[in-house]
Amino acid sequence: MVWIIGEYAERIDNAEELIEAFLETFLDEAVDVQLQLLTATVKLFLKKPSSGPQNLIQKILQKATSDTDDPDLRDRAYIYWRLLSSDPEAAKEVILASKPMMTDDRTSLDLETLQLLLRQVSTLSSVYYKLPSVFVRHSPSLNGIHHGETTAPELPGDHCDASSQNPNLVPSSAIQGVDMLADLMDGADISAYHGSTGNSAVPSAVVRTNNDDGPFLRQTSNHIDVHDACTSINHEKNVLLSEDISSGLRIAGVITRGSDNMPHYDLLITNLTQHPLAGFKFQFNKNSFMLAPIQQPNVGMVSPGESRKCCIPLSYSGATLPGKISSVLQVAVKSPLQNDAVFYFSDQIPLEAITLPDSRMEFDQFVRCWHSPSLTYERIERFVASPEMLDPDYATVRLEQNKISLVSCKAVSGMNGRAVFLSGKVNGADQVEWFLLQIDFSIGTEIIEVVSRSSVEVLAEMALLATRRLLSSSQI
């Protein structure tokens, strides 16, 4: 009741009398009640600054600062006292600030995430409306895809250990990353790594390549032409940061592969506040694929109601996340013109954006690795492909554009179709990690079957999701 009197004092005719009655037993009340009485009295004074409320505010401030020994109550009373005595208008903005409306964003999920959540009805995902990999540390992102033995044509060959047979699977050189977020900015200066201005020096991109001696690091030029590197395709962007939780700043985006074969963050920044915004700074938390921004976006001044596109080039020079590989990327964004506010969001790293070049295995090696006990994890799914992607040759071109390389293909007896075998690799914390694919095409049906295998559980899942995204779309 005390809260109602303070919150709607301008609508209650006898609010002053009600508060005065409560103040008679102020010192006998519990601390929580005293705190609420203090706030309600201050709100009454700010909404009805007449002589009556003025006497009440003097009375309660005197009691709260002199006659009580609770530190929280005294501190709040002193803060109110100094605000009211120095700047009453500032006090109104602080104490009478409007509360954000409660919203339900459960209906804003994209179709792919919704389908994954439907398979998690019996888990906490159905309560949080989030995939397990988002809220359970180091947990596998269970997506309900059927686990089982492959129904694909049997490949001949001996069992092998993928890491011992493939010379490219030796541990890579260590990349010295920077813990840019210090576990999502608990005390770190957001400008420490990137510099405080848009004209600060741009760190060199670091690219992992291979030679006869194994993997090594190659440093590229400091000059980065973001517009040339970013792909011209307009990828569908997911809402990453809602305006409801960021005081009017909305960020949508997707991680894509640029024309330089490096990942880029394709973003759309929308200003839904009442003031211009500029100077955004992004930082990534430690992640399994060591992704890090090479430079900050230069979007200029974003006026109220305006949206601006930007593209952040990424490198593999970030700090690695220990433990199980995860597809989750945690991001912090600082908005200087929103009182230096820092907002956080999570995104899923698409495999097709981070696959490495030169990923083709020899067929004999592919067969040995396919049957190897080290490729523990297998995922199988059948889905409807776009009409163009029902042609194995056309689908292979699409996959190879995303550095998933063709190993071999063969006619499948009894299926009236073809089976295509592919391989790909990504950067891991200690070594390059591989994944293998078999895709079965059947003439006369729009359904294709994909089997993915890897020694890393999340990588097998990511490979299946990437194949479905690439072959369900006709964009090439």
Side-chain angles (χ1 to χ4, degrees):
M1 181 176 177
V2 174
W3 177 85
I4 295 175
I5 296 172
E7 193 69 16
Y8 303 101
E10 71 277 14
R11 304 183 188 180
I12 302 175
D13 296 334
N14 62 335
E16 180 183 341
E17 289 80 4
L18 293 173
I19 290 291
E20 187 173 14
F22 280 108
L23 292 183
E24 291 177 0
T25 58
F26 177 80
L27 297 177
D28 299 325
E29 301 290 352
V31 173
D32 290 340
V33 178
Q34 290 176 333
L35 287 167
Q36 194 58 62
L37 275 170
L38 174 61
T39 301
T41 306
V42 174
K43 287 183 177 180
L44 172 64
F45 172 73
L46 291 173
K47 294 180 178 182
K48 293 183 176 181
S50 58
S51 59
Q54 187 170 358
N55 294 332
L56 291 178
I57 196 68
Q58 291 175 348
K59 180 179 178 181
I60 194 171
L61 288 177
Q62 183 65 34
K63 287 184 177 182
T65 55
S66 302
D67 301 334
T68 61
D69 56 1
D70 184 86
D72 292 336
L73 182 60
R74 285 206 314 268
D75 287 348
R76 185 182 296 190
Y78 277 122
I79 290 172
Y80 286 159
W81 200 331
R82 287 165 185 164
L83 271 174
L84 293 171
S85 59
S86 61
D87 192 344
E89 292 302 318
K92 282 186 178 181
E93 294 181 2
V94 172
I95 301 169
L96 302 181
S98 58
K99 309 296 188 300
M101 293 184 61
M102 296 180 65
T103 58
D104 183 3
D105 59 355
R106 292 176 293 179
T107 58
S108 63
L109 296 172
D110 60 274
L111 181 58
E112 182 177 350
T113 302
L114 184 59
Q115 289 174 341
L116 295 177
L117 287 174
L118 287 174
R119 298 167 182 169
Q120 302 292 330
V121 171
S122 61
T123 70
L124 284 175
S125 292
S126 61
V127 178
Y128 296 146
Y129 288 86
K130 295 178 181 179
L131 295 176
S133 59
V134 176
F135 62 88
V136 179
R137 184 173 179 82
H138 303 321
S139 71
S141 177
L142 303 174
N143 59 11
I145 296 174
H146 173 66
H147 295 214
E149 296 298 324
T150 175
T151 58
E154 187 67 19
L155 295 174
D158 302 326
H159 294 285
C160 78
D161 185 336
S163 60
S164 63
Q165 296 294 330
N166 192 343
N168 291 327
L169 287 181
V170 299
S172 63
S173 303
I175 299 179
Q176 297 299 322
V178 180
D179 187 358
M180 293 179 294
L181 284 180
D183 207 14
L184 273 186
M185 303 176 64
D186 49 353
D189 182 359
I190 195 165
S191 63
Y193 177 77
H194 300 288
S196 58
T197 67
N199 298 323
S200 58
V202 178
S204 301
V206 179
V207 184
R208 190 189 300 269
T209 61
N210 290 284
N211 61 10
D212 295 337
D213 300 324
F216 66 95
L217 297 178
R218 171 171 59 84
Q219 185 168 333
T220 64
S221 168
N222 281 352
H223 174 71
I224 300 167
D225 191 332
V226 178
H227 296 289
D228 289 344
C230 286
T231 177
S232 60
I233 296 176
N234 289 320
H235 294 271
E236 182 179 353
K237 299 177 179 64
N238 300 316
V239 176
L240 305 173
L241 182 66
S242 170
E243 64 273 16
D244 297 328
I245 61 175
S246 59
S247 304
L249 173 64
R250 180 198 293 167
I251 298 178
V254 63
I255 301 174
T256 65
R257 175 183 298 277
S259 60
D260 57 353
N261 279 325
M262 292 293 290
H264 293 74
Y265 224 150
D266 188 6
L267 297 172
L268 179 67
I269 299 177
T270 303
N271 179 5
L272 298 177
T273 72
Q274 301 300 315
H275 310 283
L277 299 178
F280 305 103
K281 297 182 187 298
F282 289 77
Q283 284 189 342
F284 294 175
N285 202 356
K286 298 175 183 178
N287 58 88
S288 297
F289 302 102
M290 297 173 288
L291 293 180
I294 294 178
Q295 65 186 47
Q296 293 297 336
N298 182 16
V299 295
M301 188 69 71
V302 185
S303 302
E306 184 183 10
S307 296
R308 291 281 187 94
K309 293 182 179 180
C310 66
C311 188
I312 303 177
L314 308 179
S315 72
Y316 299 112
S317 61
T320 182
L321 179 69
K324 277 190 174 182
I325 290 181
S326 170
S327 60
V328 176
L329 178 66
Q330 295 176 316
V331 182
V333 55
K334 183 177 182 180
S335 181
L337 299 187
Q338 289 180 286
N339 296 321
D340 279 340
V342 178
F343 305 108
Y344 305 95
F345 62 83
S346 295
D347 196 5
Q348 294 287 328
I349 302 173
L351 183 70
E352 62 269 28
I354 59 172
T355 44
L356 301 176
D358 305 321
S359 61
R360 183 182 180 275
M361 281 187 180
E362 295 298 326
F363 182 69
D364 290 343
Q365 182 185 25
F366 181 94
V367 172
R368 290 194 299 272
C369 293
W370 183 269
H371 291 287
S372 169
S374 65
L375 268 66
T376 310
Y377 300 102
E378 176 183 271
R379 300 292 183 267
I380 305 173
E381 187 177 22
R382 304 178 72 210
F383 59 85
V384 177
S386 66
E388 295 88 348
M389 298 303 166
L390 294 174
D391 182 343
D393 295 330
Y394 204 88
T396 300
V397 171
R398 180 72 189 279
L399 292 167
E400 289 202 315
Q401 285 178 338
N402 289 272
K403 306 308 172 187
I404 302 175
S405 302
L406 175 67
V407 175
S408 180
C409 62
K410 58 182 289 187
V412 181
S413 58
M415 288 180 55
N416 195 24
R418 288 165 64 186
V420 177
F421 308 101
L422 307 105
S423 61
K425 62 182 180 180
V426 296
N427 277 326
D430 301 315
Q431 65 179 24
V432 171
E433 301 287 356
W434 287 80
F435 61 91
L436 307 180
L437 290 172
Q438 175 179 322
I439 307 177
D440 293 332
F441 297 85
S442 300
I443 297 177
T445 176
E446 58 184 7
I447 303 293
I448 63 175
E449 181 174 277
V450 179
V451 183
S452 67
R453 289 187 180 182
S454 176
S455 60
V456 179
E457 184 174 11
V458 171
L459 200 55
E461 296 169 354
M462 292 175 68
L464 198 62
L465 292 172
T467 305
R468 185 170 63 189
R469 281 190 294 266
L470 293 173
L471 302 189
S472 296
S473 169
S474 60
Q475 204 172 50
I476 189 170

